[in-house]
Amino acid sequence: MSSSNIFVPIDAGTFPEQISHQGGHPVPKRGIRESAPIQTNKFYANFFLGNQDQGTWTHPYSVTWLRGGSVDPYSACWVKSVGWGLFSWGLAVSHISRERLALGPGQPDESFKIPGSTIPAYAPAEPVRYFINPIGIYSLILSAKELGNQTVLTTDTLRAFSVNVNLTPHSKAYPVITFPIVQGMGFVTAIYNWSTPMIQTGVCFVTLTFTGTVHGTNTARYSVLLADRTQWLLYMTSNENQSCPTLTLVSHSAILANGSFSGCIQVAKNPNRAASQAVYDASAGVYPLRGSVAGMTRNSTGTYQLSWTKGGNPGRTLLMFALPHQQQEMAPSFCTQSRSALRLETTTKGDAAAVLADAWTLTEHELPYDMDFAPWSPLLRSQSAVAPAARHLIQSVSATELAQDMMAQTNLNSMYFSGKGLAKFAFTIFAAARIGEATGIAARGLTQLKNAFATFVNNQQIFPLVYDTVWGGIVSSCTYKNGDPNGDSGNTYYNDHHFHYGYFVYTASVIGHLDPNWLQQGTNKAWVNALVRDYADPVGGDPMFPFSRHFDWYHGHSWAHGLHEAADGKKQESSSEDAFASYAMKMWGYTTGDVNMEARGNLMLAIQARTFRNYYLLQDGDIIGPREFRKNKAAGILFENKIDRTTSFGNNNEYIEGIHMIPLNPSSTLTRTRAFVDEEWRRYFSGRRVDQVEGGWRGILYANLAIVNPVAAYDFFAQPNFDNSWLDAGASRTWYLAFCAALGGAK
């Protein structure tokens, strides 16, 4: 299948009127200068949440509004005579190199050291549980003399890849500095509006050296040496070819300009002195304002382009940092021409490479374009035929499972668990109908499933959905009713919408596939389309929803974290449910005939398969991340500033690994490679250890085993004394039997 443009609007029709509009969201829009819809799950949310003073990670840099915080590492005696400098109202810039990581807990091994590090080392055989980048090392702080204790931070132009951050001396003033904050930006850029630049540090200045003007420009260049032995470059470009004021080092904490300034100051860390400076020089004076994405697919190949609009000197080429998965997606010829030797470490994504280009073309060659509802693998492709004995067992088990009370298992006080319950029965019905050939059993189950699903389409569940007019999205009414920010798994605060709604979208895809007439009945199609628009809107001009709320086209995976201030940035726990949300969207496009949606889902799955291999599902021999952490398999919870091998509900291995398995579905074999699954099994669950696992996690682990050993997995689910307590509340034994058998488990 092909699509020349995967980013086209969803044919939404009339918005379902049963979803009422609701104002008064419990989280205010602090400092935001535009109306809904507003991005709720993007990297810069800390700028408008809480006290606005937590970090924002652009990779490789992070920036933090200090909001009057102290930055002087020594005594304050010099402040008394000068009158400013100890406290800052500017934007701090940080970059953390690998030797500063904090690791733990683990087993110390004095023979295993990180060169130049004073941090305790750990044996590779005993991987540490987490690594975290220290917060509060403010190398440079971009500020202005005019900013003081009435300074206000506002944001505007909140887009998928960028935001403008403005600092004003007081609430009625115009901004004196605007920062275009863009993912992957090569410099941190401050645009001064006739204000007096003041550059501060929380580390301690050693020297400030004027090193001349960048060739062919009016951009002045300074070199800054800090007490931690890091060197930074500072570029100063005046508007309208006016001369720049002179910068002077006035103390160990402050650099001050000798006059007001209209233009931009850009700073960047210089790891390799002259070699890195040459790369930065080639792009000084230009900066990205906003990013955008375009894409197309043709069968198994998908191409997407990241491009940026520019500010400053339009004749110069942008310098942007590419993450490891993006470097892998770039054509060799492009890398030869545009990728430099400059590298900087990111917090959790390995080394970023500096690329001199205004746009990147990125290609994936393994799109699952032929994947449908049936079990699938990269080797076997789609499989629905199973051995007669397996077919008969599927018929028998499905009759029992579809006799259960669907209403009782699906109309719950949680969109997440309700969705899991609905999807469980959708998996069961499809397996019964198409693999078990139990058409009568499946038909009766489908009728029940339609009735259960109608409860939600009609918005008659325990906590009905509302359309939030403050931020722009469909949320649970739970928190409006009981005041609990974490109620309904934080849905009201935009947590996990792709997890929650993905289960509903998948269920609707199965219903519509088995009964196409259902799509034309009532508001079924419009209601499901509204959920897709909420978590995965393909365009930026939708008046009701922001573009791609959860999936981050720069990072290549989603962020689950919504409107909660976060010291370590956005986070996501379940990579598998992230992929399932994309798979559900793909299959909804398949069912409804929306080829662009289906193609978009195919590309997203291919990208996720790559990013999971790089950042989430760790194999022996991986080189991304600290050596002390790599022996872990599933990463656990991935934050922007740390990775913690844990879950929100416990530290058992089956929890940590299993949360990256659920739900086992056709896309699992794409995102979870055979090599990874084999290593994971041998490390944690082989040698009958799996049979010590209690409850539904045992079934999840055995279903996952089918990726590498479908015979053993099938035998587990086919055993005559199978205990249904081994099934998770969202799991179907019928589907597990079909999944294992179709992958070769039943002969």
Side-chain angles (χ1 to χ4, degrees):
M1 64 168 297
S2 301
S3 171
S4 60
N5 179 12
I6 63 175
F7 295 102
V8 297
I10 296 171
D11 182 15
T14 303
F15 186 78
E17 62 180 14
Q18 63 269 33
I19 300 178
S20 63
H21 284 51
Q22 172 76 55
H25 193 277
V27 178
K29 297 192 304 179
R30 179 164 297 177
I32 296 176
R33 291 184 167 180
E34 56 187 60
S35 57
I38 295 168
Q39 295 285 359
T40 53
N41 294 64
K42 297 307 181 189
F43 68 103
Y44 49 75
N46 276 336
F47 280 126
F48 54 71
L49 295 174
N51 290 325
Q52 302 178 282
D53 57 359
Q54 299 295 335
T56 290
W57 283 264
T58 63
H59 300 280
Y61 301 110
S62 66
V63 293
T64 308
W65 184 38
L66 293 188
R67 202 170 175 267
S70 174
V71 301
D72 189 3
Y74 299 114
S75 70
C77 60
W78 66 275
V79 179
K80 297 176 182 178
S81 61
V82 180
W84 44 258
L86 176 60
F87 301 97
S88 180
W89 295 90
L91 193 73
V93 181
S94 301
H95 177 265
I96 305 302
S97 52
R98 196 149 293 148
E99 67 270 11
R100 284 179 164 171
L101 291 180
L103 309 169
Q107 297 298 317
D109 181 353
E110 292 300 321
S111 67
F112 184 67
K113 293 286 188 181
I114 305 173
S117 176
T118 60
I119 298 173
Y122 296 86
E126 297 292 337
V128 297
R129 197 193 93 178
Y130 65 79
F131 67 90
I132 184 171
N133 295 263
I135 294 173
I137 301 176
Y138 303 133
S139 295
L140 296 178
I141 304 157
L142 298 170
S143 188
K145 191 176 179 181
E146 290 78 7
L147 298 177
N149 60 12
Q150 296 186 55
T151 299
V152 174
L153 184 150
T154 63
T155 54
D156 65 67
T157 321
L158 295 87
R159 301 295 182 262
F161 300 90
S162 63
V163 65
N164 285 341
V165 174
N166 309 294
L167 295 180
T168 64
H170 53 82
S171 60
K172 296 182 180 180
Y174 289 103
V176 296
I177 314 177
T178 293
F179 301 88
I181 305 298
V182 184
Q183 287 176 304
M185 57 189 184
F187 304 89
V188 178
T189 300
I191 303 170
Y192 285 80
N193 182 25
W194 292 114
S195 53
T196 308
M198 182 168 61
I199 317 300
Q200 299 164 292
T201 184
V203 175
C204 185
F205 290 125
V206 176
T207 60
L208 170 70
T209 306
F210 174 70
T211 59
T213 301
V214 176
H215 179 72
T217 73
N218 69 332
T219 299
R221 181 180 61 242
Y222 291 81
S223 176
V224 180
L225 181 63
L226 300 180
D228 62 2
R229 296 182 295 178
T230 61
Q231 185 185 85
W232 292 71
L233 294 172
L234 186 154
Y235 295 91
M236 197 171 190
T237 306
S238 178
N239 291 337
E240 302 172 0
N241 293 320
Q242 297 178 349
S243 60
C244 295
T246 300
L247 298 180
T248 302
L249 182 62
V250 296
S251 76
H252 56 250
S253 292
I255 295 168
L256 186 65
N258 65 348
S260 63
F261 174 60
S262 175
C264 73
I265 290 179
Q266 298 174 286
V267 297
K269 190 175 185 179
N270 184 16
N272 300 313
R273 302 303 194 260
S276 300
Q277 178 181 302
V279 177
Y280 288 124
D281 280 0
S283 189
V286 67
Y287 46 87
L289 294 172
R290 286 173 295 281
S292 62
V293 60
M296 60 181 294
T297 69
R298 183 175 179 81
N299 295 331
S300 62
T301 300
T303 299
Y304 66 111
Q305 185 179 74
L306 300 181
S307 59
W308 298 270
T309 57
K310 300 192 293 187
N313 187 339
R316 311 216 85 201
T317 302
L318 288 173
L319 177 69
M320 304 293 293
F321 279 98
L323 299 177
H325 77 277
Q326 295 162 335
Q327 299 170 45
Q328 296 161 14
E329 293 173 322
M330 292 174 176
S333 58
F334 178 80
C335 292
T336 300
Q337 177 182 356
S338 301
R339 190 174 67 184
S340 72
L342 172 60
R343 302 285 190 277
L344 284 177
E345 302 100 326
T346 69
T347 49
T348 58
K349 299 281 171 66
D351 290 349
V355 179
L356 283 160
D358 296 338
W360 304 342
T361 297
L362 308 171
T363 303
E364 289 288 350
H365 296 285
E366 297 181 3
L367 272 64
Y369 71 99
D370 57 345
M371 180 189 294
D372 54 30
F373 293 103
W376 180 97
S377 78
L379 179 63
L380 300 174
R381 315 311 287 185
S382 187
Q383 296 289 316
S384 57
V386 298
R391 186 167 64 250
H392 294 152
L393 184 55
I394 289 168
Q395 293 170 359
S396 173
V397 173
S398 65
T400 300
E401 291 194 318
L402 293 177
Q404 297 173 7
D405 187 341
M406 291 191 191
M407 286 291 190
Q409 294 187 40
T410 58
N411 188 12
L412 309 175
N413 63 351
S414 161
M415 286 296 289
Y416 176 67
F417 288 106
S418 295
K420 286 186 67 170
L422 290 165
K424 161 191 167 176
F425 289 111
F427 278 116
T428 304
I429 291 166
F430 176 83
R434 294 291 190 261
I435 300 175
E437 300 178 5
T439 55
I441 295 171
R444 290 190 292 273
L446 183 61
T447 298
Q448 294 183 66
L449 184 60
K450 291 177 187 175
N451 292 334
F453 199 84
T455 299
F456 294 88
V457 173
N458 296 330
N459 216 21
Q460 295 173 343
Q461 66 269 35
I462 294 174
F463 289 120
L465 298 176
V466 296
Y467 176 79
D468 163 32
T469 60
V470 176
W471 296 94
I474 296 173
V475 300
S476 168
S477 58
C478 177
T479 304
Y480 292 101
K481 294 182 177 182
N482 64 23
D484 180 5
N486 298 313
D488 205 343
S489 301
N491 184 292
T492 311
Y493 277 54
Y494 292 92
N495 284 1
D496 301 350
H497 278 201
H498 57 323
F499 297 167
H500 300 186
Y501 300 159
Y503 286 106
F504 287 87
V505 173
Y506 169 76
T507 302
S509 303
V510 172
I511 295 173
H513 175 67
L514 296 176
D515 181 8
N517 292 329
W518 180 84
L519 298 171
Q520 309 307 320
Q521 296 168 2
T523 59
N524 291 332
K525 184 177 179 181
W527 187 86
V528 179
N529 274 337
L531 296 190
V532 176
R533 289 165 67 198
D534 177 86
Y535 79 81
D537 200 309
V539 295
D542 191 322
M544 298 190 73
F545 302 95
F547 169 74
S548 191
R549 185 188 306 279
H550 284 277
F551 188 78
D552 188 319
W553 286 90
Y554 179 75
H555 282 275
H557 61 79
S558 299
W559 297 111
H561 197 81
L563 294 175
H564 296 273
E565 186 181 29
D568 289 301
K570 294 301 183 186
K571 67 177 180 180
Q572 180 169 263
E573 188 169 24
S574 178
S575 61
S576 51
E577 288 177 302
D578 182 11
F580 184 67
S582 301
Y583 170 71
M585 184 188 73
K586 161 190 162 63
M587 297 316 299
W588 180 243
Y590 174 86
T591 292
T592 60
D594 186 335
V595 295
N596 298 310
M597 182 186 295
E598 184 181 0
R600 190 166 62 255
N602 285 332
L603 179 58
M604 289 168 66
L605 282 169
I607 296 170
Q608 285 166 314
R610 182 181 299 278
T611 58
F612 294 174
R613 291 195 300 269
N614 278 284
Y615 314 129
Y616 265 109
L617 308 178
L618 312 178
Q619 292 181 224
D620 296 346
D622 284 351
I623 61 173
I624 293 175
R627 289 177 60 189
E628 303 92 331
F629 190 82
R630 294 177 198 162
K631 288 290 184 178
N632 294 307
K633 295 294 111 183
I637 305 177
L638 174 65
F639 296 75
E640 290 188 277
N641 189 55
K642 69 179 182 182
I643 298 181
D644 192 352
R645 189 179 182 273
T646 185
T647 73
S648 57
F649 48 88
N651 292 324
N652 291 8
N653 286 326
E654 63 268 26
Y655 302 166
I656 297 168
E657 303 300 316
I659 197 65
H660 293 276
M661 299 175 187
I662 62 171
L664 270 296
N665 69 89
S667 72
S668 299
T669 56
L670 175 73
T671 57
R672 298 178 60 80
T673 66
R674 288 176 55 85
F676 169 78
V677 172
D678 181 65
E679 290 180 15
E680 177 186 52
W681 183 266
R682 291 174 184 274
R683 177 158 177 77
Y684 297 114
F685 307 117
S686 63
R688 311 308 296 177
R689 287 176 291 173
V690 64
D691 294 321
Q692 304 304 310
V693 172
E694 299 179 349
W697 292 104
R698 190 183 302 187
I700 291 167
L701 297 178
Y702 267 108
N704 174 71
L705 180 62
I707 297 174
V708 292
N709 191 344
V711 173
Y714 179 82
D715 288 346
F716 171 78
F717 292 108
Q719 60 183 294
N721 59 342
F722 184 84
D723 185 343
N724 285 327
S725 70
W726 297 333
L727 294 174
D728 173 69
S732 158
R733 184 185 175 202
T734 303
W735 169 251
Y736 283 166
L737 285 165
F739 184 74
C740 299
L743 293 181
K747 302 300 182 183

